[in-house]
Amino acid sequence: MYKFRHILQPLLIFLLVLFAITSSSYGAYIRSSKVELKESPEFSSATISRVNKGDEAIILEADGFWTKVRVNNSTGWISKMSLVEKKRFLKITRRPLHKNKGITKKRIRTRVARAAVGVKGLRQSQVEKIRENYNIKAIEIVETFKVAEAKAVSFLMDYHE
Amino acid sequence: MSLIFTVLVIGSAFLSFAQEPSFRTRLHQLDTEYSEEDIQVEIEFGRNLAARILGTYQLYDNQKVQEYINLLGTGIAAQIGRPELTYYFAILDTKEVNAYACPGGYIFLTKGALKLMTDEAQLVGVIAHEIWHVNFRHVVKPLRIRAKGDSLTSGIAAIVGSSTATARVLLNQLTEKAYKLLFEEGISQQSELDTDSAAIETLLTLNYNWKSYREYVESIEKNTSSNYRQVLSKTHPNSADRLESLDNLALSLQINDLKGKTNAKRFQSYLQSL
């Protein structure tokens, strides 16, 4: 019995300490550029430092609009909208999904059939009319309206009248 | 002694475990539950919906205004948008006062809405409002636009992007539902109020004057004809409800005396040719 306690108790303590450490500090990432880290949860509060997109943040406390975080060895308050839970900063682009690896023609047919039941509501005669209402060329023009992100952020953030 | 230590450790572990969900629910849950394939479906679907809108309205052809909208829009999207999306901004050539957000990041503002605005803070607020619709997936969720899933309309990965006639017809039918949601039925009133609040929070975070956005909401009621108000009232809460919600938010955030930039001169210089 003594031997059992001697081994089990430290093991239990070790596991609980590990659990406590991993669950109490909750990680997230800074979503935006030039985010002001505030001294207290108020807009009028002094700015301690600025943190940047992709920086790792440890969440210490949440208070409505504000979240207390530790970022790059500084601790302060930022808006919760400046945080994301998952580091997904790579852009996802369009691609024909039926060409995705692992989707067979049989599975495609099954899914189309399932969806056909789901999107019921319009007759075939109406569908032909609807097709005329789509302007794919115009959307291709919209997709050419691009500006560099860094230039746009500077245009938005650095100009004051 | 070791017993006390054990109790303390168990207690702290329990407390941290109990706190954890509240932290998680307070953060915007933007993308943890959506796969890459779900997002690809959303983009393709949103693009189709945007093409549908451009089948109804012409693009407003003015390079200077277009450049201005894109500089501001891309900047705001970089700050508060979903990082995995590329956002596009365009102006619809219509006198109607409105703005639309399609899934995947296709955002439209009407020429009528721009004419009603008086400064850059108002424009930033309206663009932020639309970006938050995309962030909150206000079209994706009710229509269950997912690559795979249990619902009847989820499993649409095979349709979106497929070149078969049947698939195309099905995609267009689903797009018509989304079009109806944006232009006739509207997203839920609460969703509109939530995006209004998020727009105000964005303005504050970007150091813009939040009151400009309030003035814009107020001006819709005052300066648009009853016909346009009728169109807008189908898809948005009435101005009085929106203003009350904004005032409550201002009270809770204690921002009534807070001022920010309006950049009215820059706004006028870009939009004088409108």
Side-chain angles (χ1 to χ4, degrees), chain B residues 71-99:
Chain B
L71 278 166
L72 286 177
T74 307
I76 302 162
Q79 294 301 87
I80 54 121
R82 284 161 50 192
E84 76 275 15
L85 295 180
T86 303
Y87 288 81
Y88 299 98
F89 303 89
I91 304 153
L92 302 176
D93 195 354
T94 168
K95 287 178 183 173
E96 288 171 26
V97 177
N98 219 330

Side-chain angles (χ1 to χ4, degrees), chain A residues 46-104:
Chain A
T47 301
I48 300 168
S49 65
R50 283 174 186 261
V51 292
N52 275 305
K53 199 171 196 165
D55 286 349
E56 196 168 0
I58 305 297
I59 296 177
L60 305 170
E61 202 180 324
D63 179 14
F65 176 83
W66 297 97
T67 307
K68 190 177 186 180
V69 289
R70 187 165 64 245
V71 189
N72 305 333
N73 294 323
S74 295
T75 301
W77 294 83
I78 60 171
S79 145
K80 69 178 176 187
M81 68 170 56
S82 302
L83 291 164
V84 278
E85 283 190 50
K86 201 173 176 183
K87 197 171 188 174
R88 184 185 259 161
F89 293 114
L90 288 175
K91 297 286 181 198
I92 294 177
T93 51
R94 298 175 52 233
R95 62 175 165 161
L97 294 161
H98 64 297
K99 288 181 182 171
N100 275 0
K101 208 176 173 182
I103 298 181
T104 62

Side-chain angles (χ1 to χ4, degrees), chain A:
Chain A
M1 185 63 188
Y2 172 76
K3 200 177 175 183
F4 178 73
R5 273 188 65 188
H6 193 70
I7 298 166
L8 195 65
Q9 196 170 339
L11 185 68
L12 189 69
I13 290 169
F14 172 76
L15 288 172
L16 285 169
V17 167
L18 192 70
F19 177 70
I21 290 168
T22 53
S23 61
S24 61
S25 57
Y26 166 42
Y29 296 90
I30 302 295
R31 178 216 292 252
S32 324
S33 309
K34 304 175 185 177
V35 177
E36 292 176 355
L37 203 60
K38 299 274 191 186
E39 209 168 68
S40 59
E42 291 167 322
F43 286 101
S44 53
S45 167
T47 301
I48 300 168
S49 65
R50 283 174 186 261
V51 292
N52 275 305
K53 199 171 196 165
D55 286 349
E56 196 168 0
I58 305 297
I59 296 177
L60 305 170
E61 202 180 324
D63 179 14
F65 176 83
W66 297 97
T67 307
K68 190 177 186 180
V69 289
R70 187 165 64 245
V71 189
N72 305 333
N73 294 323
S74 295
T75 301
W77 294 83
I78 60 171
S79 145
K80 69 178 176 187
M81 68 170 56
S82 302
L83 291 164
V84 278
E85 283 190 50
K86 201 173 176 183
K87 197 171 188 174
R88 184 185 259 161
F89 293 114
L90 288 175
K91 297 286 181 198
I92 294 177
T93 51
R94 298 175 52 233
R95 62 175 165 161
L97 294 161
H98 64 297
K99 288 181 182 171
N100 275 0
K101 208 176 173 182
I103 298 181
T104 62
K105 282 184 180 175
K106 192 179 172 187
R107 282 181 66 191
I108 290 171
R109 280 199 299 275
T110 312
R111 285 193 197 173
V112 169
R114 275 181 59 206
V117 182
V119 295
K120 63 188 173 187
L122 292 173
R123 291 193 301 273
Q124 183 64 35
S125 56
Q126 291 173 298
V127 169
E128 285 307 312
K129 198 182 168 192
I130 286 168
R131 287 187 75 167
E132 295 166 12
N133 293 336
Y134 287 78
N135 192 344
I136 297 292
K137 279 185 181 171
I139 203 68
E140 284 168 356
I141 292 169
V142 170
E143 285 168 341
T144 64
F145 299 155
K146 278 183 188 169
V147 289
E149 195 172 289
K151 184 183 172 187
V153 169
S154 176
F155 186 84
L156 180 77
M157 304 285 285
D158 299 337
Y159 182 83
H160 296 257
E161 280 172 6

Side-chain angles (χ1 to χ4, degrees), chain A residues 12-24, chain B residues 5-21:
Chain A
L12 189 69
I13 290 169
F14 172 76
L15 288 172
L16 285 169
V17 167
L18 192 70
F19 177 70
I21 290 168
T22 53
S23 61
S24 61
Chain B
F5 182 65
T6 308
V7 169
L8 281 172
V9 169
I10 291 172
S12 67
F14 180 77
L15 278 175
S16 61
F17 180 74
Q19 276 185 328
E20 180 74 356

